Structures are given as C-alpha cells and as structure tokens.
C-alpha cells in the first residue's frame, strides 16, 4: 500500500513538475498546463512559437487551419484564456472536449451570423482576442471562401492583427478532418505548432504592387504561408522524401515507369521502399567514384532509373547536374566545364536509342567520364543488396544539409555561353511545397510527367512534388505526344498531366478515341497555351489547364492559376512565401520589370568564365528580366522579356507573340522577331524567317484576327537562323544580319 501510494505520489509530482515547466516556458494558466501536458507528451509537440503568439497585443485574431478534431483542444490549452473561440458544431458538442472548453469562452459557429455580427468587432475593439477555425482546404469552393472574406472583413474593421496557426502533421491523426486519401493515418505523429508574425489585414493589403489587394486574398495567402512554415526547413531532399515514405507507407506504390524494349513493352512499379533500396545501392556505387559536394552529370530519360539515380546522388550529398540531351555538342562541353562535372551517370541503351553519341563525345571532351547504369546494376553484390534492404532509410552520406546545392541546371538565356543555375535542397523543396499549398494533390492522384527531367519544372513539379505528396508518378521514356503515348495515358488514367502546349495539343488531337476520365487538370511547364488547346481540353476532357510563370532561377515556379484564383490570359498569382517588386520601364507606364524574392530563389550562378565558382545573389532579389503587369487581385500578365519587346509608336509589341503568329502559319519553319530602329515610330518589328512566302503572313494575320501590331513591318527570308552553342537562336547575330539587309547598320 505504501509502495503504491509512493508511486502514485511520484507520478503526480512528475505530472505537476511537467505542468509547471509549461507554465514557465509558455506562460500558460495552471488549468491550461494540466490539460496540455498529456497532449505535449503523447504527440511530442514542438511549441516554441506559442509564447510569442500568446504575447501579441490585442486586438488579435488567431486564424487556425482546422485539420483535426484535436485542434480545438490544443488551441484552448495554448492560447490566452481570455480568447473567444468560435467552434464548429461538432467541437462545441463533443463530450470529450468538455474539460478543454471550460478553459476559455466558446461560441458555436453559425454561418448566418458569426462572420457578420457586430458583436465580434466590438469584442476585438474592446482589446479582445478571437480564435477562428478555418477549413483545411487548399482550393476552397465559393461557399468556403466566403469564410475568408468574412474573417478578413472583421479583422479590417477592428484593425486587428492576424496570427495564422498551422499544426503540422495534424491532418494525419486518426481523427483528422481531411479525406482518408490525403494520407495514411498515424496514431502518434509528432505535431508542431507553427505561427507567423502578427500583421493587420491593412498591412497585408498594402503589400500589393499597385492598388491595395483584396482583404480575403491577403488573408488566404497569409494562411498558405503558415502551411509552408510547418515542415522543418533544414531537411534535405533525401530526408524530406524519406519522411514522405514513412508518412504514406513504405509499401505505397510511388513510381510507375513505361519503357520500350526489344522484347516488348516494359512496365515497372516501385514502392517508396523499393525506390530507397535502389537509391542506397546506386548511391554507394556513385560515392565510390565521386566526392561529397561534387557535381555529377545526369543524362537519362524519364524512367524509374532516373528517379533512383537522383535520389542516390542526394543520398550521397552529390549535386545532380542535369544535362539537356538536345543541346549542341559545344554547349554540352561548355556546361560540363562550367560546373566542373567529372562524372556523368547515363545508360547505354538510352544513348543508342536516342542517337546521342555526339553528346557523349562532347561530355568527354569537357573532361567527364561516364558511369553506365547497366554496369552498375550488373556489378552489385548480394551483400550490397542485403545492406540496402536493411538500411534503406539511411542516407549514404550521413550529413545532410538543406542549404547545400542539390541540382545544377543549365540555361543560356540570350548569352553566348550557358549559365549554370545552382539550386539548393531548400530551393527545390520550397517550390514543391509552394505548389502543394496552391494545388490540391494527394494519395489518390497520379501524375503523368511528359517533360524531360533536364527541365526545372519537370524536376520540381514532375519528380519532387509527387514524391513529396504521395501521388503516383507516371513516367514514359518516349513521351513524344504520339498515338502510342496517348493510348498509354488512356490506359493508366492519370489525374494530372505535366507537359507543354505541344504535348497537350497532341493529346487533345490523338486522345479523342481514348477515355481519359478522372483527369483533373494539366500543368504547363514551358511557354504559353494556345486558345485552341485550352478549348479542346475543356470540351473533350472537362479538365482545366493550369498556367503560370516561372524561371529556372526560381526552381522554377513563380506564379500559377488555381481553381480558386484563375484568370485566363494571365500567369496567375504569386506563390505563397514569395515577394515581388516592379522597376519602372521607360515607355511602359502600366507595367514594370519584375524582381522576385523567396525561399525558392537559387543560390546563384556558375559561369564559363569562372568554372565551379558560385556567384551568389547580392541583396536576395533577382531581376527576372521580364516585363509584367499586376492587377489588384495579384494576377500577373507577362508582356515579354525586357529585350524581347518593341515600342512601335508608343505601343508595346511582344516579339515572342510575333514569332508565335509565324509559327501558327509555318510550324516547321524557323522564325526570329527583332526590333530595329525607325526614325518615325522609334522602333519597327522585323521578322527573319526560313519561310519562302513571306507575304502570306500578312494575309494569315488578318484572317486570324491578329492585331495589326503583330504583323511585322519587314520580313526577311534566309536559309537558316544562326544559333548559340546551346541550340537557341542567336538574336544578336540575327539583328546584325537584319540591320545589314535593311541598310540601317549605321543607326544600330
């Protein structure tokens, strides 16, 4: 009896000691601490930001993303006791929540009066606090979005500060409010209470570039930023994807690959565990011929082996240098030397089937040696396989840092030599999570990636995003928009397709005889989408095409249209966590040169003039070189590159749009639109083309209803356009040629 009493007293003393610790740490009330302790111990809650949130001066609104039925108990335990909590009907009536409801004032949510009631404004103006639980929805419908409007209106009227709160991992609790397909339920996930600095709605609205933003949009974006703050920002790509494997289940099928082989069609499906086993096996082999932090070239098609190889490099703290196979030989040699690539991972069958022997020679000329996956696979021992199977979740290189380089992508821009854009683990993860905070994607989705992984959007949106979100990744080695490829898409029934206008237009034409039911949307990675392509997809598939704006330096997505915020003809709204500003451009009063800042912004450049030297961003802002217009709701309209715009008689003409018009008439031709001096109108547009009948363009433009501004003043026909080593058009050489032909060299 004495022993039992002693044990009981010891337990009570320990419980009280932990409660007192929370009182000291977080400034909780005594009753709050008593009820918080079991939650703290069971879910190992990270709560270091709570104390600052409690200390915010009134009036204040705590805007909580309501993910699970545990959220009210947690918030009633942590927020100041004088906070008025507006609960949903279930939380207001649940018997098990009664002890927590007694900690503070609560009222039941009623849509017809809560968010229009003057009482709440009076509560706030009387130096009060509100806790509002908003639905956990990434793309809210019109009815749900009214809640954001109402809360924003109350905060604006009361001039109250808003503190967003997001409980990380709460959506995976057994009593989550989310769909079962959003993630595997776990009994005891480790929770984290994430908050952002207090700010008023008026201050958020004032961040808009031109006119003040809408209050509801400002609040919606702020809560999305709190969602981004939930994951640990110090996790590397390998560790973050490993976390996803544990979250969704090691045996969850995650990668499905289709390949054409001599024996017929090959189909491989990998679970998370199989993916990581392969990565650890390959990772040891790659580590034996490279050093930590070294750039390793990747020249592979869209297959499961490519995903395994990327994960293997990240597991060993190697940097994946993504080589574009279509780049001309001189460009590949320069890229290899610029990034100091000494080893390239590739496949003999891919090189042979794609006819890339010249690319191999160019890489070897730059000083690189090849590691062939066929050889790696053949030489793997049974012992290596057993170790990889037993320790699949362990990285090859134990020290994993988010701020270190993860990938190098090559972009030529308009320069003579390619630039190497260096992206960190944090950059790629941030952009994938920014997309995840804007687009609804989860376990019941399957994403078909039609873009080569050497493109940044394919790497982030087509590899990292689905692996992070648990969506099945579908890869086709020969994703060329062919009849066969369209048939594959109909067979595997993806819910999301990632491609460009060319591949999506091909699907629209070829898939009319196939069933693509279940397709929700397509994401466009490069270029603009033709109106006809958009119409076909809407009418034939009932799916929307998600357009946006991006650049390699931003890993790459900057803005995007969504179901909630969508406006055709624009590049969508800025991703959460990003900031922008416009620098005035002479002659374009309604727009400006776009500068951006955000967690997805690159580490810096490597240039051919200084191989291997990282040139970091100076003040954290990056000049995109694009001229954009931004409306009150934050939608970006990209008018063109700073060097790809002509001012004709005071009117702005996009040279890219002129080229697009020529491509519609002559899709197989080569076209370059440039601006040349004109003494009467300042500038005129000249089209240099390989087409034989230039006069047809003027007739075609009028019949197509194109603006007169898009009809070039002069059209010059040549046999072939000069190109850079990267394969892109050399616009400087084209302009010089046109000036000579037009006899205005002196005016240049």
């Amino acid at each position: 009896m004495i022993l039992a009493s002693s044990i009981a007293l010891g337990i009570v003393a320990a419980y009280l000691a932990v409660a007192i610790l929370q009182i000291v740490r977080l400034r909780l009330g005594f009753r709050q601490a008593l009820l918080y302790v079991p939650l703290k111990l069971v879910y190992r809650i990270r709560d270091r930001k709570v104390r600052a949130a409690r200390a915010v001066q009134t009036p204040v609104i705590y805007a909580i993303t309501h993910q699970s039925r545990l959220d009210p108990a947690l918030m009633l335990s942590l927020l100041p006791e004088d906070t008025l909590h507006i609960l949903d009907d279930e939380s207001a009536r649940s018997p098990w929540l009664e002890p927590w409801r007694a900690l503070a004032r609560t009222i039941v949510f009623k849509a017809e009066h809560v968010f229009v009631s003057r009482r709440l404004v009076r509560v706030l103006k009387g130096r009060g606090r509100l806790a509002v639980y908003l639905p956990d929805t990434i793309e809210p419908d019109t009815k749900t979005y009214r809640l954001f409007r109402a809360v924003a209106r109350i905060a604006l009227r009361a001039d109250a500060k808003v503190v967003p709160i997001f409980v990380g991992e709460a959506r995976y609790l057994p009593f989550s409010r989310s769909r079962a397909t959003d993630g595997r339920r776990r009994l005891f996930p480790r929770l984290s209470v994430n908050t952002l600095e207090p700010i008023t709605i008026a201050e958020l609205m004032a961040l808009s570039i031109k006119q003040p933003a809408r209050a509801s949009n400002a609040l919606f974006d702020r809560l999305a930023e709190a969602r981004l703050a939930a994951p640990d920002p110090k996790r590397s790509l390998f560790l973050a994807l490993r976390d996803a494997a544990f979250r969704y289940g090691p045996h969850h099928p995650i990668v499905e690959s289709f390949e054409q082989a001599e024996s017929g069609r090959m189909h491989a499906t990998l679970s998370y565990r199989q993916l990581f086993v392969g990565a650890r096996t390959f990772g040891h082999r790659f580590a034996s011929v490279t050093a930590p932090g070294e750039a390793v070239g990747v020249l592979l098609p869209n297959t499961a082996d490519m995903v395994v190889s990327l994960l293997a490099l990240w597991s060993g703290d190697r940097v994946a240098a993504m080589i574009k196979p279509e780049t001309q030989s001189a460009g590949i040699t320069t890229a290899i030397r610029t990034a100091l690539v000494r080893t390239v991972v590739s496949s003999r069958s891919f090189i042979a089937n794609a006819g890339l022997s010249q690319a191999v020679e160019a890489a070897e000329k730059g000083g690189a040696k090849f590691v062939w996956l066929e050889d790696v696979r053949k030489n793997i021992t049974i012992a290596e396989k057993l170790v990889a199977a037993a320790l699949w979740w362990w990285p090859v290189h134990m020290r994993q840092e988010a701020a270190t380089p993860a990938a190098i992508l090559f972009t030529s821009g308009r320069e003579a030599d390619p630039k190497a854009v260096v992206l960190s683990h944090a950059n790629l993860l941030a952009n994938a999570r920014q997309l995840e905070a804007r687009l609804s994607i989860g376990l019941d989705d399957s994403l078909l990636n039609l873009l080569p992984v050497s493109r940044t959007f394919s790497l982030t949106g087509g590899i990292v995003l689905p692996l992070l979100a648990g969506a099945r990744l579908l890869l086709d080695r020969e994703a060329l928009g062919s009849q066969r490829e369209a048939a594959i898409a109909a067979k595997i029934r993806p819910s999301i397709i990632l491609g460009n206008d060319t591949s999506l237009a091909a699907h629209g034409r070829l898939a009319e005889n196939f069933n693509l039911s279940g397709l929700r949307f397509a994401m466009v990675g490069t270029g603009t989408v033709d109106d006809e392509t958009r119409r076909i997809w809407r009418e034939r598939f009932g799916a929307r095409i998600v357009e946006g704006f991006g650049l390699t330096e931003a890993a790459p997505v900057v803005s995007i249209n969504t179901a909630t915020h969508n406006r055709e003809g624009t590049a969508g709204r800025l991703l959460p966590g990003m900031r922008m500003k416009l620098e005035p451009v002479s002659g374009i009063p309604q727009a400006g040169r776009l500068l951006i800042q955000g967690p997805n912004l690159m580490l810096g450049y490597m240039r051919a003039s200084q191989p291997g030297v990282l040139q970091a961003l100076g003040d954290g802002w990056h000049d995109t070189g694009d001229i954009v217009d931004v409306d009150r709701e934050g939608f970006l309209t990209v008018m063109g590159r700073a060097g790809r715009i002509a001012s004709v008689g005071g009117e702005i003409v996009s040279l890219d749009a002129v080229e697009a018009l020529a491509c519609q008439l002559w899709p197989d031709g080569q076209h370059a639109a440039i601006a040349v001096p004109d003494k009467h109108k300042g500038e005129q547009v000249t089209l240099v083309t390989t087409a034989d009948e230039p006069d047809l363009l003027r007739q075609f433009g009028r019949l197509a209803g194109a603006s007169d501004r898009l009809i070039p003043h002069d059209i010059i026909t040549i046999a072939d356009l000069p190109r850079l080593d990267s394969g892109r058009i050399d616009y400087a050489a084209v302009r010089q040629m046109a000036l000579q032909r037009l006899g205005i060299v002196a005016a240049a």
Side-chain angles (χ1 to χ4, degrees), residues 145 149 152 156 201 204-205 208 211-221 565 567 573 631-635:
Y145 202 71
R149 293 194 187 99
L156 193 60
I201 294 295
L204 287 172
M205 294 169 64
S208 178
Q211 306 172 25
R214 294 186 183 276
S216 55
N217 286 349
L219 177 63
F220 180 74
D221 293 343
H565 294 90
R567 184 167 296 169
R573 300 171 67 246
D631 66 14
R632 181 186 177 188
E633 295 186 33
F635 286 94

Side-chain angles (χ1 to χ4, degrees), residues 103-117:
L103 295 175
R105 295 178 299 156
T106 64
I107 60 174
V108 182
F109 169 87
K110 291 190 181 298
E112 62 271 16
H113 83 267
V114 167
F115 293 123
V116 295
S117 174

